[in-house]
């Protein structure tokens, strides 16, 4: 029996299996923006005391162990996967719902974060334009597109990916030239990794919850399991290819940028620190190019997808009466969940304006949902294979999930107390919704 025979899970093969490994990898690169560090560079540099590369390396290690758990579950359950579906099948419906609900915090808030970063990027190019005005403009534009049901095609996404990679290569080349010419006193060194006079693991770990935002999205590849020719095995391979390549790109760009401007105290604005660093490396044109690409990637391309995904989840939960039924209303003409879309837009505006002066905190709140869900996934992998299936694969089913929990948990320890409080309150709300639904005799499912 092939690993992508859905009948054994009670499903029929309805989606066409047309995606090659190459297609899965490209989707992964689109899900994880190759230039993601551009938007949060200043905040990670500031939190890590300039040792930004070490923060990204720790984040990558945590994601790799979690990716092993994803890959094992994708092979075992080669369905269109997610944290909710894998944890539900591995550890039970209640735990799965809690994991999915916690991940929903990421989904609901990430559009606001994307809009804020996009707004700051445009503001860097046109300082006379208010970031609040730009944020609202991004939200209105994307909301119109999504309610009308206008699709940005896969072709557009691929060209956007190509543009991001081209800009990244240009920055890396100009950065290396600048360092070679000692621009701003820059020299090649390991300072972005280790500074003996100021190194503190606690300091670095406090920066990782911000840095790890850049990696979020690799798990999106698992949603394509039913369309991949190789099923779960192809998904597993694609996840690792994407993480290793994207991790290398993140390390390269932050290392070069940190050598050009090693002192975070010199940043006039942490929100636009990367664009200022690009200007030092290659002149104003390079700063404008980096900012414009970030604005398009974060403010339009990625936020469009994030808004659609979040609106569809709220629509599904409204339809199942887990949330107010109004969220399941579909536009009579455009056949889109317009109430859910409008709610996501309103939340994005309110949250974006509220956290505009504290982008690092908003980033932490977004990542705490994902990291908590990843820890639950790792534990569920351990429980399913060792307790349920009596597996004795020491590395894949025991050590790896435990290391995933340990590393991600250590990253988790870097969150501020109020971020943890927000996450805990959100989790309790989800648990209350679950039990209320069960008391009403409802079936509890989450499309996440």
């Amino acid at each position: 029996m092939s690993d992508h025979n859905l009948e054994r899970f009670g499903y029929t093969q309805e989606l066409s299996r047309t995606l090659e490994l190459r297609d899965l990898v490209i989707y992964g690169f689109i899900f994880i923006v190759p230039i993601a560090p551009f938007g949060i560079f200043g905040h990670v540099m500031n939190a890590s005391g300039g040792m930004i590369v070490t923060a990204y390396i720790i984040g990558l290690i945590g994601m790799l162990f979690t990716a092993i758990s994803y890959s094992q579950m994708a092979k075992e359950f080669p369905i269109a996967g997610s944290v909710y579906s894998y944890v539900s099948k591995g550890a039970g419906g209640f735990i799965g719902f809690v994991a999915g609900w916690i991940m929903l915090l990421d989904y609901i808030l990430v559009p606001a974060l994307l809009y804020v970063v996009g707004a700051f990027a445009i503001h860097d190019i046109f300082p006379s334009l208010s970031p609040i005005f730009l944020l609202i403009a991004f939200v209105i534009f994307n909301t119109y597109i999504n309610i009308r049901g206008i699709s940005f095609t896969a072709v557009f996404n691929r060209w956007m990916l190509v543009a991001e990679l081209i800009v990244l290569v240009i920055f890396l080349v100009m950065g290396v030239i600048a360092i070679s010419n000692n621009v701003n006193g820059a020299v090649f060194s390991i300072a972005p990794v280790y500074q003996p006079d100021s190194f503190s693991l606690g300091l670095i770990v406090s920066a990782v919850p911000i840095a790890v935002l850049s990696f979020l999205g690799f798990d999106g590849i698992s949603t394509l399991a039913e369309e991949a020719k190789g099923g779960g095995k192809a998904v597993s391979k694609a996840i690792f290819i994407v993480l290793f390549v994207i991790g290398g790109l993140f390390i390269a760009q932050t290392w070069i940028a940190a050598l050009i401007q090693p002192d975070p105290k010199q940043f006039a604005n942490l929100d636009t620190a990367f664009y200022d660093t690009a200007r030092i490396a290659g002149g104003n044109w390079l700063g404008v190019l980096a900012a414009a690409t970030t604005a398009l990637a974060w403010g339009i391309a990625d936020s469009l997808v994030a808004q659609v995904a979040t609106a569809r989840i709220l629509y599904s939960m409204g339809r199942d009466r887990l949330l107010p039924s109004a969220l399941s209303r579909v536009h009579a003409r455009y056949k889109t969940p317009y109430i859910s879309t409008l709610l996501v837009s309103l939340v994005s505006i309110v949250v974006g304006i509220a956290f505009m002066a504290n982008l690092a905190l908003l980033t932490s709140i977004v990542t705490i949902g994902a990291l908590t869900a990843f820890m639950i996934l790792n534990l569920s992998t351990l429980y399913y294979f060792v307790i349920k299936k009596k597996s004795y694969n020491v590395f894949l089913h025991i050590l790896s999930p435990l290391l995933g929990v340990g590393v991600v948990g250590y990253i988790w320890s870097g969150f501020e107390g109020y971020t943890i409080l927000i996450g805990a309150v959100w989790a309790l709300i989800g648990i209350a919704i679950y039990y209320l639904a069960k008391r009403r005799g409802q079936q509890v499912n989450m499309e996440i």
Side-chain angles (χ1 to χ4, degrees), residues 8-252:
R8 58 180 165 142
F9 303 110
Y11 304 108
T12 56
Q13 181 68 51
E14 296 179 303
L15 300 176
S16 177
R17 287 193 182 276
T18 58
L19 298 180
E20 304 279 356
L21 177 62
R22 176 189 60 189
D23 299 312
L24 296 176
V25 170
I26 290 173
Y27 272 113
F29 286 141
I30 291 171
F31 290 145
I32 309 177
V33 184
I35 60 170
F38 282 21
I40 56 176
F41 172 74
H43 293 282
V44 184
M45 275 288 286
N46 185 59
S48 65
M51 290 170 280
I52 186 172
V53 173
T54 303
Y56 272 96
I57 290 174
I58 294 174
L60 176 60
I61 292 171
M63 295 305 99
L64 285 172
F65 283 121
T66 300
I68 292 175
S69 291
Y70 260 107
S71 71
Q72 291 304 297
M73 296 302 256
K75 290 175 182 177
E76 186 72 10
F77 306 108
I79 57 177
S82 64
V83 165
Y84 165 72
S85 58
Y86 290 153
V87 173
S88 293
K89 293 186 179 301
F94 171 68
I95 303 298
F97 179 85
V98 171
W101 177 264
I102 292 172
M103 181 67 93
L104 183 60
L105 181 63
D106 171 356
Y107 277 74
I108 288 177
L109 296 182
V110 78
L113 176 61
L114 295 170
Y115 289 130
V116 170
V117 172
F120 280 138
I122 293 294
H123 177 68
D124 182 73
I125 303 172
F126 303 105
S128 60
L129 296 178
S130 163
I132 293 178
F133 166 79
L134 292 168
L135 181 147
I136 294 174
F138 274 133
V139 172
I140 291 174
F141 174 79
N142 282 0
T143 301
Y144 173 79
I145 293 293
N146 283 330
I147 288 180
R148 288 290 301 269
I150 301 171
S151 298
F152 272 66
T153 65
V155 174
F156 170 82
N157 286 330
R158 292 192 181 205
W159 278 112
M160 190 69 230
L161 174 62
V162 170
E164 292 169 20
L165 292 172
I166 290 174
V167 171
L168 178 55
V169 169
I170 292 172
F171 170 76
L172 291 175
V173 171
M174 295 302 298
V176 169
I177 293 173
I179 297 168
S180 300
N181 293 326
N182 301 120
V183 172
N184 200 40
V187 294
F188 292 104
S189 73
I190 63 167
V193 180
Y194 178 71
Q195 298 174 22
D197 295 335
S198 58
F199 182 83
S200 163
L201 194 56
L203 175 69
I204 303 299
V205 169
S206 69
V208 181
I210 306 173
V212 81
L213 171 75
S214 304
F215 292 101
L216 300 187
F218 77 87
D219 51 308
I221 300 173
S222 65
T223 64
L224 302 173
E226 292 179 35
E227 299 166 73
K229 285 186 176 181
K233 291 181 179 179
V235 165
S236 173
K237 188 178 294 185
I239 286 175
F240 284 107
I241 291 173
V242 168
L243 272 178
F244 276 114
V245 174
I246 212 78
L249 293 177
F250 288 169
I251 289 170

Side-chain angles (χ1 to χ4, degrees), residues 286-334:
L286 187 58
V288 170
L289 181 63
T293 308
T294 302
L296 283 173
W298 291 60
I300 294 180
D302 297 328
S303 53
L304 264 172
V305 175
Q307 188 184 60
V308 167
T310 307
R312 268 31 176 204
I313 293 169
L314 296 179
Y315 160 79
S316 173
M317 296 184 75
R319 183 181 56 191
D320 294 338
R321 301 299 189 268
L322 296 175
L323 293 177
S325 60
L327 294 173
S328 64
R329 291 181 187 172
V330 175
H331 196 283
R333 179 179 177 186
Y334 302 121

